[in-house]
Amino acid sequence: VSPSAGIPSSAPSASGIPATVPSGTPLASTKPSESGTPAAPSGTPAAAPQETPGSSMNPYEGGVPEAPIFSQKTGVYEKAFSLSMTAQPGTEIYYTTNGSIPTTNSTKYTGSIQISCRNGEKNVLCSEENIKKMDIAGSGYDYVPNDNEVDKCTIIRAVAIAPDGTSSSVITNSYFVGNDMANKYKGATVASLVMDPNDLLDYNTGILALGAYYDEWRKTAEAKQILQSKAYWNYEGNYTQSGKDWERQATMDYIDPSTGNVEFSVPMGVRLHGGASRMYGQKSFKFYMREEYGQKNLKYALIPGDVDKDGKQIKKYKGFMLRNGGNDTELTKIRDVFIQSCVTDRAYGTQAVRPCVLFLNGEYWGLYNLTERYSDNNFEENYGVDKDNVVVFKEDELDEGTEDDNALYEELMSYANKDFTDDAVYEEFCKIMDVDSFADYYATEIYIGNNDWLIPKGRNSRKNYMVWRARTVDEENPYADGKWRYMIYDTEYSMGLYDQGRQYAQTPSFTNAKKNDPLFAAVIQNKTFYNKFLATIKVIGSTNFDYDKCCKKLDELSTLYKPLMQDFHTRYYGLNDWRRSQFDANVNEMKNFLKVRYDLILDDIEE
């Protein structure tokens, strides 16, 4: 199997831990983005300048006012300090501390603001009142944390407003004081996401809220059955909605806690991400860079080890995700990270990852996996295929491309009805499919026993399934050859999740794939491909998922993630919740699965 047929998103380090998950090495200090803020000092700030509002800028003479100037930048500070702001004479500064956009109804700036450690202060976003708006009562995901269970930072959003009501651009800064971030979040980065609370909680439009959609849904006959069964993963509400209509604007300050450096501060669009995992209190987010928000791309090496087809570090992103861990949200958050880090050499795309702690409107929102997001721009950056030439189908639906591209996918799926015992059919199939990618992808999903992949519901039964190709052939680019290739993602419902590892390893995933995927069932009938598939899964089992190597990697990931999970468990489930004890148990079950899986899955295939 040729690794060059696919694109590794990252490579394992010599120590065995994936390069996409740093083990404490600080980020290199980088140049701030065009619309961002420079790095802040990590120690005690210099004394605030003795200025009065409007003392150091050109007088306002009409038009759009200049934005206020802050005496201290976003960053990590050891001690409390006074923050002052200046604006053009003739304008006045208004500011907020809850994430809302300031107006003349907000607090008027009249003098310096004391910025200090806020840990222990009253919860706002995750108050009891707001938890009721966001989370299903009695679900187990509606824990109301105590004030001292939620670390905090200070958010200041400020504008200068002219006498005629014209406002400047909004300046957003995040201040972390006394949080001991270098030790507490060792090995992770920190993102402070700031957005209007109404965009999160409004009854009709808030993306985190149960809201109007929940109240309308619960009146339906289908909902009444689901409500009775308490199948929370099938509930619907504002938080299950998707698409551009459910994208909201935000600003993200991104910090390396080991140095206190502000790596970037940028405006972006935000949506929720995921399927059933949206039921959790901690939900996943997708981020979009758009010119309409003020910045078209993020030019920054966001995930060390995220490399393109030539092995060069990717330094430009159109978007990314903060993923809660999917089905593994409550337990370890490392299953998908671990699995993808083991198969970066296979002939399909993988997602680069690093751990990131999120603060939402100044309140600790938990540990996430900062994850590469598949998109047309992502394919262009990774494979060099023009984004307008990229066709992507996700779970049998057109994800990127035009309506005419449906014909290309129908052509691919038509092979499910052909006789692959005829070698001529297989040869024709190989003209439109990268068969290395096909073999690698199915062998991996089958080996790990992914239970959230193929669902026995007929034609549209593929879940967490993505294929892509170039629409038009470019002979100078081997990835633009018009052949379909696979991308792997959301692999965590595997390797013993919700079960004992050794028992889970008995899952006849090969037999199940033949039953539930008509295309695979057809292609595997070809003797040449069957032999190729058998050889592939043997290599994946003995090399990519070699037991000793995997145990070492799991131990290293555990060392990194387990300390970071402690605050997460406290925030979402309290100090005494049983989930806290499940991290080590789940890692052990993954090891138990890997120890016996090879022989069991080969028995299933060879029978």
Side-chain angles (χ1 to χ4, degrees):
V1 179
S2 170
S4 65
I7 169 73
S9 293
S10 59
S13 67
S15 67
I17 194 166
T20 55
V21 184
S23 55
T25 303
L27 293 173
S29 180
T30 62
K31 204 172 184 178
S33 64
E34 293 178 359
S35 64
T37 57
S42 58
T44 305
Q50 300 300 309
E51 298 176 304
T52 57
S55 66
S56 64
M57 302 174 74
N58 294 326
Y60 174 71
E61 296 179 351
V64 178
E66 295 181 25
I69 296 175
F70 287 48
S71 64
Q72 301 296 340
K73 307 297 184 182
T74 285
V76 180
Y77 296 87
E78 294 177 359
K79 298 179 181 179
F81 62 92
S82 293
L83 175 71
S84 63
M85 294 182 278
T86 58
Q88 288 175 288
T91 67
E92 295 179 325
I93 299 173
Y94 292 85
Y95 71 95
T96 62
T97 58
N98 68 347
S100 61
I101 302 297
T103 67
T104 52
N105 293 322
S106 304
T107 303
K108 184 178 178 180
Y109 176 74
T110 58
S112 61
I113 306 167
Q114 186 71 4
I115 306 297
S116 58
C117 179
R118 293 188 55 237
N119 294 343
E121 290 186 10
K122 188 175 181 180
N123 296 335
V124 178
L125 187 58
C126 57
S127 65
E128 182 175 6
E129 177 186 1
N130 287 332
I131 292 292
K132 289 179 180 178
K133 295 178 182 178
M134 293 185 285
D135 301 314
I136 304 161
S139 63
Y141 308 115
D142 58 339
Y143 177 72
V144 179
N146 297 321
D147 296 335
N148 61 2
E149 292 176 340
V150 182
D151 281 357
K152 299 173 179 74
C153 69
T154 298
I155 300 298
I156 302 290
R157 303 191 97 170
V159 295
I161 300 180
D164 64 0
T166 305
S167 297
S168 71
S169 58
V170 179
I171 301 299
T172 302
N173 277 11
S174 307
Y175 299 106
F176 291 85
V177 180
N179 293 71
D180 193 23
M181 292 167 65
N183 291 318
K184 200 164 193 178
Y185 306 133
K186 186 176 181 180
T189 54
V190 173
S192 172
L193 186 66
V194 184
M195 53 196 301
D196 194 300
N198 286 333
D199 287 339
L200 296 170
L201 300 174
D202 182 81
Y203 178 73
N204 293 303
T205 62
I207 63 174
L208 286 184
L210 292 163
Y213 271 83
Y214 173 71
D215 285 342
E216 287 302 311
W217 169 79
R218 65 187 305 179
K219 298 174 185 176
T220 66
E222 177 189 37
K224 290 176 182 178
Q225 292 182 341
I226 294 172
L227 288 164
Q228 187 174 10
S229 66
K230 295 185 178 181
Y232 301 119
W233 53 92
N234 288 325
Y235 281 34
E236 293 186 19
N238 289 10
Y239 67 90
T240 61
Q241 306 310 303
S242 59
K244 184 69 184 295
D245 288 345
W246 290 87
E247 182 174 315
R248 304 290 181 260
Q249 188 170 354
T251 296
M252 178 181 286
D253 291 330
Y254 188 75
I255 298 169
D256 176 4
S258 68
T259 63
N261 287 345
V262 182
E263 300 299 315
F264 59 80
S265 179
V266 296
M268 56 183 66
V270 183
R271 303 181 197 177
L272 291 193
H273 169 77
S277 66
R278 295 187 188 212
M279 69 177 171
Y280 294 122
Q282 187 200 43
K283 295 171 174 55
S284 300
F285 296 94
K286 289 188 288 192
F287 300 96
Y288 299 81
M289 309 301 298
R290 299 190 193 278
E291 200 165 5
E292 65 193 79
Y293 298 138
Q295 192 158 322
K296 188 176 181 180
N297 296 294
L298 174 62
K299 295 182 179 179
Y300 172 72
L302 185 63
I303 311 176
D306 185 12
V307 297
D308 63 16
K309 61 184 177 63
D310 298 318
K312 296 179 180 178
Q313 173 69 45
I314 293 175
K315 298 180 180 179
K316 186 173 78 171
Y317 290 83
K318 188 69 175 175
F320 56 93
M321 298 188 295
L322 285 178
R323 191 165 184 264
N324 61 7
N327 290 284
D328 197 25
T329 294
E330 306 169 281
L331 304 173
T332 73
K333 297 187 188 289
I334 68 171
R335 265 187 178 82
D336 185 56
V337 177
F338 164 72
I339 290 169
Q340 292 207 47
S341 73
C342 289
V343 292
T344 56
D345 64 330
R346 308 315 303 184
Y348 47 72
T350 57
Q351 295 167 301
V353 175
R354 72 182 310 172
C356 179
V357 172
L358 177 66
F359 282 73
L360 183 57
N361 282 356
E363 296 184 1
Y364 173 82
W365 218 250
L367 174 65
Y368 284 82
N369 285 315
L370 194 158
T371 305
E372 180 180 14
R373 181 171 65 83
Y374 295 142
S375 68
D376 54 356
N377 289 278
N378 173 269
F379 288 103
E380 184 172 270
E381 289 296 319
N382 281 270
Y383 296 93
V385 179
D386 188 286
K387 66 178 183 179
D388 293 328
N389 192 27
V390 171
V391 178
V392 180
F393 276 79
K394 182 178 180 181
E395 298 182 351
D396 290 328
E397 299 290 337
L398 179 66
D399 193 62
E400 301 284 357
T402 67
E403 287 301 317
D404 291 342
D405 295 326
N406 283 293
L408 297 174
Y409 191 68
E410 290 299 329
E411 177 193 20
L412 173 62
M413 290 297 107
S414 71
Y415 278 87
N417 300 316
K418 296 187 179 183
D419 181 9
F420 274 81
T421 60
D422 183 349
D423 286 338
V425 172
Y426 179 63
E427 290 172 8
E428 288 298 315
F429 178 71
C430 291
K431 291 178 182 178
I432 66 166
M433 169 62 72
D434 181 331
V435 73
D436 288 340
S437 185
F438 189 83
D440 274 9
Y441 174 77
Y442 277 88
T444 301
E445 293 279 21
I446 287 169
Y447 195 87
I448 65 175
N450 191 347
N451 270 339
D452 201 23
W453 173 49
L454 298 178
I455 311 300
K457 291 182 180 178
R459 165 72 168 74
N460 295 313
S461 64
R462 297 174 184 84
K463 192 176 180 186
N464 296 326
Y465 175 100
M466 180 182 289
V467 290
W468 76 281
R469 57 165 283 178
R471 180 186 302 106
T472 304
V473 173
D474 177 0
E475 294 181 356
E476 295 183 359
N477 185 343
Y479 295 96
D481 56 4
K483 292 185 178 183
W484 293 98
R485 292 177 171 83
Y486 286 82
M487 309 298 286
I488 200 167
Y489 67 102
D490 288 16
T491 63
E492 70 276 350
Y493 196 169
S494 59
M495 287 194 178
L497 185 69
Y498 309 140
D499 204 344
Q500 294 181 345
R502 288 178 179 270
Q503 181 176 337
Y504 196 105
Q506 298 175 25
T507 304
S509 306
F510 176 77
T511 298
N512 292 343
K514 288 200 302 177
K515 289 179 180 178
N516 299 327
D517 190 302
L519 181 61
F520 179 72
V523 181
I524 199 67
Q525 297 303 314
N526 182 269
K527 187 174 182 179
T528 299
F529 179 75
Y530 171 82
N531 289 332
K532 180 181 185 65
F533 175 85
L534 183 60
T536 298
I537 202 166
K538 286 181 177 180
V539 171
I540 286 173
S542 62
T543 303
N544 295 86
F545 293 111
D546 172 75
Y547 177 72
D548 291 334
K549 287 195 304 183
C550 285
C551 286
K552 181 180 179 182
K553 183 175 289 189
L554 281 168
D555 288 343
E556 290 173 333
L557 283 169
S558 298
T559 299
L560 174 61
Y561 273 77
K562 187 177 177 181
L564 296 168
M565 287 288 285
Q566 301 307 304
D567 285 349
F568 161 78
H569 281 125
T570 300
R571 158 63 183 85
Y572 286 96
Y573 305 107
L575 288 171
N576 300 316
D577 187 77
W578 66 273
R579 295 169 183 82
R580 190 184 301 273
S581 66
Q582 296 303 299
F583 189 100
D584 290 338
N586 272 263
V587 171
N588 286 334
E589 293 304 341
M590 292 170 72
K591 291 179 180 179
N592 290 337
F593 172 93
L594 289 163
K595 191 168 188 177
V596 299
R597 178 60 167 173
Y598 185 87
D599 290 336
L600 292 170
I601 194 59
L602 287 186
D603 286 346
D604 181 34
I605 295 168
E606 291 171 345
E607 286 176 4

